[in-house]
Amino acid sequence: MSLDSKIPSGPLEKKWDDYKSHIKLVNPANKRKYTVIVIGTGLAGGSASATLAELGYNVKTFCFQDSPRRAHSIAAQGGINAAKNYQNDGDSVYRLFYDTIKGGDFRAREANVYRLAQVSTNIIDQCVAQGVPFAREYGGHLDNRSFGGAQVSRTFYAKGQTGQQLLLGAYSALSRQIGLGNVKMYPRTEMLDLVVIDGHAKGVVIRDLVTGQVTVHSADAVVLASGGYGNVFYLSTNAKGSNVTATFRAYKKGAFFANPCYTQIHPTCIPVSGDHQSKLTLMSESLRNDGRIWVPKKQGDTRNPADIPESERDYYLERKYPSYGNLCPRDIASRSAKEVCDAGFGVGPGGQGVYLDFSSAINRLGEHTIAERYGNLFQMYEQITGENPYKVPMRIYPAVHYTMGGLWVDYNLMSNLPGLFVIGEANFSDHGANRLGASALMQGLADGYFVLPYTIGNYLAEVGFGKTPSTDHAEFKKAETDANTQLNKFLSIKGKRTVDSFHKELGKIMWNNCGMARTDKSLKEALVKIPEIREEFWKNVNVPGSGADLNQSLEKAGRVADFLEFGELLCLDALTREESCGGHFRSEHQMDDGEAKRDDEKFCHATAWEWKGVGAKPTEHREKLEFENIKLATRSYK
Amino acid sequence: MDLKLKVWRQKNAKEKGKIVNYDAKGISPDMSFLEMLDVVNEDLIVKGDDPIAFEHDCREGICGSCNIMINGEAHGPLPGVTTCQLHMRTFKDGDTIFLEPWRAKAFPVLKDLVVDRSGFDRIIQAGGFVSINTGGAPDANALPIPKKDADVAMDAATCIGCGACVASCKNASAMLFVSAKVSHLALLPQGQVEKKERVKNMVNAMDKEGFGNCTNQYECEAACPKDIKRDFIRVLNKEFILS
């Protein structure tokens, strides 16, 4: 099967406008005759649900949290990019587009990224109109700061709570539509399967997490906005509930999974403190604006950081990347931290940490200014570590943060299964092999507010109204039965090990064998071990309780079962991609100076995998990436 | 550290609950409170018992999911901290800790420490928004907002909707939560058009959900993990009177 990206023809800067002018429209009076299901209420799902309901469609929205306001987008701290050029520092749509393509190591689709940069300016307007309290200058205008991978200040922020404020904006728009009766909201529910009829996505199987009841819901189109899969590593900065289930089960129903090996490791997280650790906490990348990263020049130097004179400190990012310095992109900053720690220069317990030091910024700007910029982050750091970052440098280490892979989608954000749309982090489309800071929020809202509402209309107009299938259809019955069978299986195994113990075991293998650096050997080893863990899971997992009420172990069992299959796909993808790019670093493929070595001859494509059964090798499809406007070049931030 | 836990166990919304004793052994001071519960739950599952249900998600103090009354205090003893950001170094070896769900009629218990806070969502659905459709918004800088106003609006918007204010109030009042949202939008020019309707609709929705009234004891402010100030209740009252 060939992958048709459906990129409109014509010049890059005109594609989206031309496309919008020529798509099929649905008559306003007919919109209410269509039903759309949205899974997830983060920036992508929340904004999409609100906008589709405003347009007049019937919307059914599902989230697993107790309230749509708690989606994990809420935890994003630093900011959102937009090519407004309010600072008059040379920003433009083209420059944001270029930075994003380059940041993604030339593994993203030009047309999608250009559109993202174009609509970025509308996002800020929309959010301000909703009352999102962005930071302001004294003159009353919006303030901006810079983020990794960019040399202009294009990042809009609301203290260290940008994700929260943007999500509350989308949630308020969604709440308005729920109140008006245009969106039927189903909190505390989980999607267990996708229903495909005659090749089109037509519904979902849902479990009510409180009553345990499994129900089916039909629709004219299904939108997955269910986020990323970083929790396959067990320890990550993702919320504990973030999971791969919605996208993975759609994959098992025929949707292709693209570039799963693209995992972003974020450089500024609080280091692991022990085996009890349940998750990792991110310190916003914005800290790199004022914090300087260093390690002692002497290996194993255990002196108090204040006692180490300037001449004995290695500000390795400023040394290696003089023009970007501490603001180099995340993959580069992360790998550099790993290198210095692996070489024995790391600080803190176990030597798995580097200093992020604010002393020179505090001397220059005063503690008050630093507190105003990053106060809540400093407070959070002190809470977790018991150390005061105003007095001693923070200790940070890279951690799994975001996943650039996801279900394959075309320019319409539609997967290869007609009627299945995938938006935000759940799709693969905009970030290539590495995501620049402050771009995830941008993509979520771009997809939900400004892209999907157009593209889904085009699909629905083609399909026609009055065709919502009945839930009596055999495919619904089968999917419902399959979901119940799996739930009962979990409960009947009655083994000796907890679900979490399997998840931790899988996570260690993923991190050690397929983490910041991957090799042919480590990946092949993981591909032997993961099926072994999976086999034991299905024989020896212990899921207490019943399926007829709130059962958090049962919820986790389904998600971990999916991670145990998905982890294998991720490693296979990493093994197949014999090059280094962005967050995917194959140790065999590096330059003499340790930088990632891309292979554009062989790998300038997106890999989209087609499910062939548990343990069977999925079929590989390739979408060649065409670069018509940007010359492929080796990334340099020196 | 070894601790004794006294935990509220309640099978579901219909059955009666009771306090059950558990031992939490070998707890590291670096663990978060929820990680301590993870350890206890792993033990319970291995022993064939039902693990303690509790709500959590981001574990970074932002999503507002986690909610436990710890020794009678919402989110435990530290000011300005959610349960997920409370670390065990706050406690001493041998301590006895009571764990209970949020206590309010408008927050019915679903299981153990998990309560239903959907009343908050319904209050927002009644008016906690600016009615702007997507697309067509004017340029963001066309509406300058004094930094001081934007900063105070931001302070109000910091509310994470965890419900600690309700749980700590003897009247189970949601005034701090509602006042934060009303103040956030009332302080910004975008919120002016619907100002009067908003406050009336939200206060009505709050009453309908069964939340009580404020009697100015400010336990809400003391318990709020995001330091939302009681001054916003004054703003709410003023807005309500003006409406």
Side-chain angles (χ1 to χ4, degrees):
Chain A
M1 176 180 169
S2 70
L3 290 170
D4 181 1
S5 58
K6 299 204 177 79
I7 297 169
S9 56
L12 185 64
E13 59 278 12
K14 291 201 171 145
K15 283 182 196 290
W16 179 233
D17 288 339
D18 283 352
Y19 170 96
K20 283 195 292 183
S21 304
H22 293 100
I23 48 169
K24 292 195 180 78
L25 296 175
V26 178
N27 173 339
N30 287 338
K31 283 185 179 144
R32 61 177 171 270
K33 296 173 186 165
Y34 290 97
T35 299
V36 180
I37 283 172
V38 181
I39 305 295
T41 57
L43 289 177
S47 59
S49 298
T51 308
L52 293 173
E54 283 166 13
L55 289 171
Y57 298 109
N58 285 309
V59 180
K60 285 180 159 187
T61 303
F62 299 84
C63 74
F64 69 76
Q65 297 92 348
D66 70 320
S67 162
R69 69 176 292 146
R70 305 205 204 281
H72 185 53
S73 305
I74 207 164
Q77 299 164 336
I80 177 166
N81 284 335
K84 282 285 200 184
N85 195 30
Y86 282 158
Q87 304 300 329
N88 197 26
D89 56 359
D91 201 9
S92 65
V93 167
Y94 183 85
R95 199 178 285 277
L96 174 52
F97 156 71
Y98 179 81
D99 285 349
T100 308
I101 290 276
K102 178 186 170 192
D105 221 346
F106 304 90
R107 290 292 175 263
R109 209 188 265 153
E110 276 192 343
N112 286 57
V113 178
Y114 194 86
R115 174 175 66 188
L116 175 69
Q118 270 177 308
V119 303
S120 67
T121 58
N122 301 107
I123 295 171
I124 303 303
D125 299 341
Q126 180 67 29
C127 296
V128 166
Q130 286 171 342
V132 170
F134 282 117
R136 299 264 165 180
E137 306 272 13
Y138 282 100
H141 289 144
L142 292 154
D143 191 15
N144 293 106
R145 59 188 175 197
S146 52
F147 247 59
Q151 288 178 315
V152 292
S153 291
R154 63 161 71 101
T155 305
F156 295 79
Y157 66 102
K159 277 197 179 162
Q161 309 165 16
T162 316
Q164 178 182 2
Q165 295 310 320
L166 294 174
L167 184 69
L168 292 180
Y171 162 76
S172 70
L174 171 61
S175 296
R176 174 174 162 236
Q177 296 302 323
I178 297 169
L180 292 169
N182 301 332
V183 173
K184 174 89 178 96
M185 183 71 225
Y186 299 82
R188 293 192 195 275
T189 58
E190 180 167 48
M191 171 180 151
L192 294 184
D193 207 355
L194 178 75
V195 178
V196 180
I197 297 174
D198 299 330
H200 287 240
K202 289 290 183 187
V204 290
V205 179
I206 296 289
R207 179 169 183 267
D208 183 314
L209 299 178
V210 179
T211 64
Q213 202 186 5
V214 173
T215 52
V216 290
H217 300 258
S218 71
D220 297 281
V222 175
V223 181
L224 299 187
S226 51
Y229 48 79
N231 274 341
V232 67
F233 292 86
Y234 187 75
L235 283 183
S236 84
T237 66
N238 287 5
K240 292 292 284 177
S242 299
N243 63 84
V244 78
T245 290
T247 48
F248 195 71
R249 297 200 184 172
Y251 164 68
K252 289 172 99 168
K253 280 291 174 81
F256 293 171
F257 215 113
N259 301 338
C261 76
Y262 290 168
T263 310
Q264 180 163 79
I265 315 286
H266 197 292
T268 49
C269 298
I270 299 178
V272 175
S273 71
D275 279 343
H276 58 265
Q277 195 110 14
S278 63
K279 77 158 320 236
L280 297 172
T281 301
L282 172 75
M283 293 279 100
S284 166
E285 182 173 14
S286 63
L287 294 171
R288 289 200 276 149
N289 273 304
D290 287 307
R292 298 179 69 197
I293 294 173
W294 63 276
V295 289
K297 278 187 179 167
K298 200 174 84 187
Q299 282 176 337
D301 190 339
T302 53
R303 279 180 291 173
N304 186 323
D307 298 336
I308 302 178
E310 281 291 313
S311 60
E312 292 176 42
R313 299 175 178 193
D314 179 13
Y315 294 90
Y316 58 89
L317 289 178
E318 296 170 37
R319 171 172 58 80
K320 285 162 64 181
Y321 307 100
S323 57
Y324 281 77
N326 293 300
L327 284 174
C328 66
R330 293 174 174 180
D331 56 329
I332 288 173
S334 296
R335 210 148 43 235
S336 299
K338 182 180 190 308
E339 274 167 25
V340 292
C341 291
D342 288 352
F345 297 97
V347 298
Q352 295 293 297
V354 300
Y355 288 127
L356 176 62
D357 193 343
F358 287 86
S359 54
S360 55
I362 289 172
N363 288 338
R364 191 175 73 245
L365 303 164
E367 199 169 302
H368 174 75
T369 305
I370 294 300
E372 187 152 81
R373 284 184 191 168
Y374 314 109
N376 65 323
L377 301 170
F378 277 42
Q379 190 189 6
M380 186 193 279
Y381 181 86
E382 184 167 7
Q383 207 61 55
I384 293 170
T385 62
E387 291 173 0
N388 178 352
Y390 293 102
K391 306 288 174 218
V392 294
M394 287 183 179
R395 283 176 297 107
I396 53 163
Y397 195 70
V400 172
H401 178 54
Y402 187 91
T403 47
M404 283 75 66
L407 291 184
W408 184 88
V409 289
D410 61 18
Y411 188 73
N412 299 301
L413 304 182
M414 188 162 84
S415 73
N416 58 302
L417 286 180
L420 179 68
F421 292 80
V422 192
I423 60 177
E425 192 181 353
N427 76 24
F428 88 111
S429 71
D430 291 5
H431 306 299
N434 174 52
R435 177 177 64 77
L436 290 182
S439 289
L441 305 182
M442 178 171 64
Q443 192 213 341
L445 291 178
D447 289 0
Y449 282 136
F450 297 108
V451 180
L452 179 80
Y454 289 94
T455 63
I456 203 170
N458 190 44
Y459 167 78
L460 293 171
E462 266 176 22
V463 172
F465 59 83
K467 295 183 182 162
T468 320
S470 158
T471 50
D472 292 335
H473 193 285
E475 285 298 326
F476 279 99
K477 295 282 164 217
K478 183 177 178 304
E480 187 181 352
T481 308
D482 289 349
N484 276 316
T485 306
Q486 193 190 43
L487 292 166
N488 292 332
K489 175 94 191 278
F490 289 133
L491 292 162
S492 67
I493 296 169
K494 301 277 176 238
K496 292 199 160 50
R497 284 183 60 183
T498 65
V499 176
D500 270 354
S501 75
F502 284 101
H503 196 174
K504 281 185 186 177
E505 189 181 354
L506 172 70
K508 274 191 184 140
I509 286 174
M510 294 303 295
W511 179 247
N512 292 334
N513 295 43
C514 192
M516 264 195 281
R518 299 116 187 238
T519 64
D520 181 82
K521 184 170 168 279
S522 74
L523 291 165
K524 284 181 175 155
E525 196 178 284
L527 287 168
V528 171
K529 281 185 184 162
I530 296 169
E532 287 170 6
I533 304 172
R534 192 165 65 224
E535 198 183 328
E536 201 203 333
F537 174 87
W538 284 105
K539 282 184 189 148
N540 197 25
V541 74
N542 177 1
V543 181
S546 85
D549 62 7
L550 183 69
N551 185 341
Q552 293 169 327
S553 301
L554 183 59
E555 292 166 28
K556 278 195 265 188
R559 295 167 190 171
V560 171
D562 291 336
F563 279 134
L564 283 167
E565 291 176 12
F566 173 73
E568 193 177 0
L569 179 71
L570 199 163
C571 291
L572 174 68
D573 188 48
L575 183 65
T576 310
R577 187 168 285 277
E578 288 211 49
E579 64 165 350
S580 293
C581 56
H584 167 67
F585 190 75
R586 282 285 301 267
S587 303
E588 301 92 338
H589 303 282
Q590 53 180 303
M591 309 282 199
D592 293 340
D593 59 359
E595 300 289 338
K597 191 172 169 189
R598 262 194 354 250
D599 184 344
D600 292 332
E601 286 279 305
K602 293 190 190 142
F603 293 98
C604 192
H605 59 251
T607 309
W609 296 98
E610 181 183 0
W611 168 255
K612 289 289 168 189
V614 181
K617 192 177 174 186
T619 306
E620 184 185 354
H621 302 273
R622 292 179 173 187
E623 179 200 336
K624 185 154 178 46
L625 297 168
E626 308 282 353
F627 289 89
E628 294 168 358
N629 299 279
I630 286 185
K631 204 168 142 276
L632 284 175
T634 303
R635 280 200 312 168
S636 170
Y637 290 91
K638 288 186 176 169
Chain B
M1 295 159 66
D2 292 339
L3 303 155
K4 298 225 173 285
L5 305 184
K6 291 180 174 287
V7 185
W8 183 262
R9 301 301 308 260
Q10 183 172 340
K11 196 169 168 9
N12 55 42
K14 287 175 198 145
E15 293 191 23
K16 275 192 168 176
K18 61 173 183 184
I19 292 281
V20 179
N21 297 327
Y22 297 98
D23 289 321
K25 288 189 174 162
I27 300 302
S28 152
D30 285 333
M31 286 179 187
S32 71
F33 199 84
L34 301 185
E35 284 167 347
M36 180 275 291
L37 276 181
D38 290 342
V39 170
V40 171
N41 273 346
E42 288 289 283
D43 275 356
L44 289 177
I45 296 171
V46 170
K47 279 187 207 147
D49 288 341
D50 204 19
I52 301 159
F54 63 94
E55 198 122 40
H56 66 106
D57 201 13
C58 81
R59 297 201 175 191
E60 291 186 18
I62 305 166
C63 76
S65 292
C66 60
N67 53 331
I68 304 178
M69 293 299 280
I70 299 165
N71 290 336
E73 292 182 274
H75 296 298
L78 296 183
V81 164
T82 53
T83 302
C84 67
Q85 293 295 299
L86 175 67
H87 285 71
M88 297 313 291
R89 65 178 78 94
T90 312
F91 298 91
K92 292 195 301 289
D93 189 28
D95 274 358
T96 297
I97 309 175
F98 278 83
L99 288 81
E100 295 163 90
W102 274 183
R103 292 172 294 202
K105 189 178 147 205
F107 286 164
V109 174
L110 295 176
K111 182 175 183 178
D112 299 340
L113 304 173
V114 179
V115 302
D116 178 357
R117 289 172 284 183
S118 55
F120 271 12
D121 288 316
R122 287 186 290 275
I123 294 173
I124 299 292
Q125 287 155 18
F129 44 77
V130 175
S131 295
I132 167 111
N133 280 357
T134 305
D139 183 84
N141 261 354
L143 191 67
I145 301 170
K147 180 170 164 31
K148 191 165 66 73
D149 295 353
D151 285 351
V152 182
M154 176 74 220
D155 290 343
T158 299
C159 168
I160 57 173
C162 66
C165 47
V166 172
S168 334
C169 175
K170 65 178 183 184
N171 299 334
S173 169
M175 290 280 268
L176 193 67
F177 169 77
V178 176
S179 74
K181 185 48 68 181
V182 165
S183 303
H184 160 210
L185 295 174
L187 287 163
L188 295 174
Q190 301 92 314
Q192 297 309 305
V193 177
E194 296 169 297
K195 200 169 141 171
K196 291 185 177 175
E197 287 308 304
R198 177 181 303 117
V199 69
K200 274 193 285 196
N201 290 341
M202 290 182 77
V203 168
N204 286 341
M206 175 177 83
D207 291 343
K208 206 172 127 198
E209 291 293 332
F211 293 104
N213 277 319
C214 173
T215 44
N216 301 310
Q217 293 192 326
Y218 310 128
E219 292 293 334
C220 52
E221 184 187 75
C224 177
K226 293 294 158 185
D227 293 328
I228 304 292
K229 299 292 175 227
R230 64 191 189 214
D231 282 2
F232 294 125
I233 297 178
R234 181 181 53 78
V235 177
L236 172 69
N237 286 333
K238 187 183 108 190
E239 294 292 330
F240 189 69
I241 292 163
L242 289 175
S243 74

